[in-house]
Each structure stands twice: as structure tokens, then as C-alpha cells.
Amino acid sequence: MKVYLIKASAGSSYSEYKAETGGPPQNIFSTAAATPRGVEIEMTDETIGMKTDFRSGADVVAVFMSTPDALRAYEIADRFREKGKTVVLGGLHTMFCPDEAQVHADALLLGEAEGVWEALLADVTAGTLRPRYKRTTPADLSRLRPYPTDIIPPSRYNWTWSVAVGRGCSNKCGFCLVHKFFDTCRFRPVDQVVEEVSRLKKLGVEWVELHADNLTVNRKYALELFRALAPLKMKLYGETTILIARDEELLEAAANAGVKALLFGIETPSGAALAGQGKAFVRPEKVRDYIAVVKKYGIEVWGDFLVGFDEHDVSIFRETLNFIRTIRATRTFEHLVIPFPGSETFKALEREGRIITRDWSKYDGAHVVYQPLSMTKEELEEGVWWLWKKSQGKFGALIYSLFSKEAWRG
Ligand code: SF4
């Protein structure tokens, strides 16, 4: 049997942002890792400009999608089905819009792939394919195999690679899907992560993303992991919360391990908006000092920002710009709020009849897709562009150039 794993990309700003802030996409690589031995694997990651091969000889085509890439994924799925292929859809958007996805697929892979992907392939062989496959229990991360490096090699990701470290988050921020997708917060055994990073170093990988939705949420684990990684002297980065700044022992261990950058969701200078999203643990008045502490350990701070919450009126753009200029993050990424289907934010907007469009390609952080509460749609659009323009001058904000490709057009 041969399977073809495709990460669909509509070339949106969001996809580029994800590609820029992470290594290889988790969905196709974790599914490749879970594929039974003896099954041939072909892979395409459209986020890095690879072209989908519609002449593939694969028996099963599995297409993975985030919301902004959904329409592109359906296009790919439909074309392969016309050719008589068995088509599977997976990824975040499939999980939260299964009825919509089902129209374009023979089967859906819902949630974590491990265990059910293997069952799905066995059913294809037996001719007993079911429409939906979903785990009933969280995957055991100690049973994960490393992402393959011989199908799409690390050179395609500028020698940056991703190692699965953890899944899930104990927080429940309203706009976020992590706690909806993963029932529990789990981590992989430290020795397995260390072994994989060591192997990647021998392969010539320069940067390793310690991939976890919240890398340091389990302090004991994070400390153990950082200490075990230190002898390898690799360049590492990951994503956690700004609260790490309150724990200098952990920060020192991270720095000694080789952590060079951490991505934090700082989101907004509006305490009311943070509280509205269940993220009041980010205290705007503390962020500047926290960032200074992190940078003291030689760790770059990448800050993620969102505009367009209900608590935001037209004053938020200047307020955010002033805040960004004050806190001295190394890089900042500013987006519009994306109400991903499945999130509490989407549910609330839908209840209130404020979703303007279900053209998923617009759910990319560069288009307004809902009626804002405290300003007009036009004010939100113009405001975010003003913010991008201003923040780029001061900080060379990477995301500005990424977004500009898409949004200046629209
Ligand atoms: S802390 Fe981050 S990963 Fe966790 S729920 Fe909030 S936004 Fe999501």
C-alpha cells in the first residue's frame, strides 16, 4: 500500500505565519510517524511551496487542513476523488467541521491520528472503510515514533525541525482550539526527546522546535527536559506563557539547554479583553518587566498580539502600538482575532449572529470575518493596517511582510 499525506495551504498569511514560527507541520508528520511499517509514504507540504502531485500512484490520499486552508484542501480532495482515489481528510478544521468535510472525503480522521490511522488503513485493505475515525482516549505520547526525516528532508525547512514534546494545555483561552482538540495535557518521556534531538543534531539540523502547546506548563517535566538537553548544545525554541518569567530557575535551565527564543501569546494590553478570553493570567502591567527577565537569560521574546476583541474600540490600535514599543519584545506578530470554528469565540459570535462570512480562506488573521462589537468592520480593518505599518517601522515586524502579501490585495 502507498499513502500520500498532504498539508494543504491556500498560501494565506496564517499559513505563512505558522510556517515561520514552527518547523514541519505536526499533522502530516505525526501521521507519517504513525503509519505502519511496510506502507510506502509520499508527502507534500504546500506551506513550503511544494506542489501536490495529482498523478500520484497512492492508494490513499490524506489531506490535512487548518481553517484558512479548508477550501484548498477540499479542492485537492475533490480532484483525487474524481480520479477514484480513497480520500481522507484530517486536521483541525476537519475536527470541528466534520459534516462539511465529509462531503469531500471517503473518511475523516478526527483528532489525534495515532491508533486510528492504522485502523483506517487496515479497513481500506479489508474493504470496510468507515466514514469517521476518532480516538476515544488520549494518545500515549511514550509510543510516538520520531517524525521521518527522509521523505521531506530538514533542508526543506532551512534545517529547522520539530520534535514532539507535548500536547494540550491546562488553560482554556476562549479563542484557542488547543484545549478543544486535546482532552488532556501530556508530555513525552524526556529520554525519547533527548534521543531524537541528538539524532537530529547528527543529521545537521540547526534549530529544533520543542513542540508543545505550552512547553513549561508542567514545571517538573520542563526542568528535567531542559537539564537533560543541555549537554547536546542545540539551538532550541518553543512556545509557552509569559509566566515563565516568574521562575528564574526554570529560565536558567532553559537558557543552559540552548533555548534561544520563546513565543508568548501576550495578546493585548487590554486587561478586560484578556479577562474576557479567560487569559487574565497575562497581566499587561507586568509584561515589560517579565520580558526583561527572559531576555536577561539570552532568550529572544516573540510576542503574539490580537486585535478585535469585543472590549477593543478604536483606541486599541494606538494603545497596542504604544504597548509594543514599551515592552521591548524581540519580535512581534499582530493579527486580527481569528474565530476558528470550534472555539468558544466562534460559538459566541455565531450565537449573536455576528459571523459575516464562512469563506474560510478569509479566516487568516488578515481579514475581518465577524461584526466587531465596539467599532465598525471598516475601523477594525483600517486600524489593524495602521498598526502593521507602524509596528513594522519600529520593530521590523516579520508578520507585517507576510500579511502584506495577502491583505494589501484584498
Ligand atoms: S495558554 Fe496558549 S495554548 Fe493554552 S489555552 Fe491559552 S492560548 Fe491556548
Side-chain angles (χ1 to χ4, degrees):
M1 177 187 274
K2 180 176 176 181
V3 297
Y4 187 12
L5 307 177
I6 301 166
K7 171 70 179 85
S9 175
S12 72
S13 311
Y14 180 74
S15 303
E16 292 187 60
Y17 159 71
K18 293 302 283 182
E20 189 64 38
T21 55
Q26 303 301 306
N27 43 35
I28 50 171
F29 279 88
S30 59
T31 307
T35 301
R37 297 193 200 288
V39 174
E40 195 184 338
I41 305 173
E42 182 180 357
M43 290 169 84
T44 290
D45 178 4
E46 291 192 334
T47 59
I48 55 168
M50 293 176 74
K51 301 274 179 251
T52 292
D53 177 11
F54 289 100
R55 289 178 301 182
S56 168
D59 306 287
V60 177
V61 178
V63 188
F64 294 83
M65 55 180 174
S66 298
T67 296
D69 304 316
L71 302 184
R72 170 63 184 157
Y74 296 152
E75 182 190 329
I76 296 169
D78 292 347
R79 282 184 66 180
F80 276 115
R81 287 182 98 197
E82 280 164 20
K83 290 171 180 284
K85 299 290 183 192
T86 298
V87 171
V88 177
L89 281 169
L92 278 171
H93 191 79
T94 306
M95 172 82 171
F96 297 109
C97 296
D99 294 342
E100 174 191 294
Q102 194 83 65
V103 176
H104 303 273
D106 299 291
L108 304 182
L109 194 56
L110 301 168
E112 295 174 285
E114 296 83 11
V116 285
W117 171 239
E118 300 91 307
L120 184 155
L121 295 180
D123 285 354
V124 171
T125 304
T128 56
L129 188 67
R130 290 180 281 116
R132 296 187 185 186
Y133 290 79
K134 187 175 187 311
R135 287 191 65 98
T136 52
T137 54
D140 175 356
L141 301 196
S142 71
R143 298 171 68 88
L144 296 188
R145 291 202 294 258
Y147 297 161
T149 48
D150 57 346
I151 306 172
I152 306 176
S155 58
R156 293 301 306 259
Y157 295 95
N158 296 321
W159 296 99
T160 297
W161 203 251
S162 192
V163 172
V165 172
R167 290 179 183 170
C169 179
S170 54
N171 297 314
K172 298 196 179 337
C173 305
F175 57 84
C176 183
L177 287 178
V178 166
H179 56 99
K180 302 280 183 184
F181 194 83
F182 300 115
D183 292 340
T184 61
C185 186
R186 289 149 284 150
F187 287 89
R188 203 167 160 212
V190 165
D191 58 336
Q192 291 183 16
V193 176
V194 172
E195 191 183 320
E196 196 172 334
V197 174
S198 174
R199 189 178 63 84
L200 292 169
K201 186 176 183 186
K202 288 181 195 135
L203 274 179
V205 168
E206 291 175 16
W207 284 89
V208 168
E209 179 199 14
L210 297 174
H211 188 87
D213 301 297
N214 187 340
L215 182 60
T216 60
V217 68
N218 180 334
R219 181 183 193 275
K220 185 166 174 286
Y221 174 86
L223 206 51
E224 191 187 334
L225 178 69
F226 292 148
R227 287 176 176 158
L229 285 169
L232 296 180
K233 301 200 180 313
M234 271 300 273
K235 287 192 281 192
L236 309 168
Y237 68 100
E239 181 173 352
T240 183
T241 73
I242 190 72
L243 298 185
I244 192 177
R246 299 193 304 197
D247 189 338
E248 295 203 36
E249 186 186 5
L250 191 56
L251 268 178
E252 188 176 13
N256 289 341
V259 173
K260 303 290 182 205
L262 288 170
L263 177 66
F264 302 121
I266 298 169
E267 321 304 2
T268 175
S270 162
L274 287 162
Q277 294 300 314
K279 200 163 184 176
F281 62 83
V282 175
R283 304 261 305 276
E285 70 279 10
K286 302 247 183 205
V287 166
R288 180 191 164 128
D289 290 346
Y290 282 167
I291 288 178
V293 174
V294 176
K295 287 168 74 178
K296 188 175 82 183
Y297 286 90
I299 297 173
E300 288 191 1
V301 171
W302 300 354
D304 229 343
F305 287 87
L306 294 167
V307 289
F309 291 119
D310 285 355
E311 296 79 1
H312 288 170
D313 61 23
V314 289
S315 65
I316 193 61
F317 308 110
R318 182 161 292 282
E319 191 186 344
T320 303
L321 181 67
N322 290 342
F323 186 69
I324 286 171
R325 286 179 169 166
T326 305
I327 60 174
R328 308 186 86 76
T330 317
R331 285 175 165 188
T332 58
F333 306 95
E334 300 98 17
H335 323 233
L336 289 162
V337 171
I338 309 176
F340 288 110
S343 67
E344 290 304 319
T345 304
F346 185 89
K347 286 179 196 164
L349 290 168
E350 198 174 42
R351 264 196 316 272
E352 294 161 18
R354 291 164 57 203
I355 294 289
I356 296 171
T357 178
R358 285 173 188 265
D359 174 352
W360 304 127
S361 67
K362 299 277 191 282
Y363 282 60
D364 65 350
H367 296 87
V368 179
V369 294
Y370 58 91
Q371 182 60 50
L373 191 67
S374 311
M375 61 184 123
T376 66
K377 177 177 177 286
E378 291 70 29
E379 284 169 336
L380 180 53
E381 268 164 2
E382 284 164 22
V384 78
W385 275 100
W386 178 87
L387 181 60
W388 284 330
K389 229 179 330 189
K390 293 287 184 185
S391 62
Q392 184 210 32
K394 183 74 177 169
F395 300 99
L398 174 69
I399 201 66
Y400 176 84
S401 59
L402 299 178
F403 275 135
S404 60
K405 287 180 202 161
E406 175 80 4
W408 277 125
R409 283 201 301 266

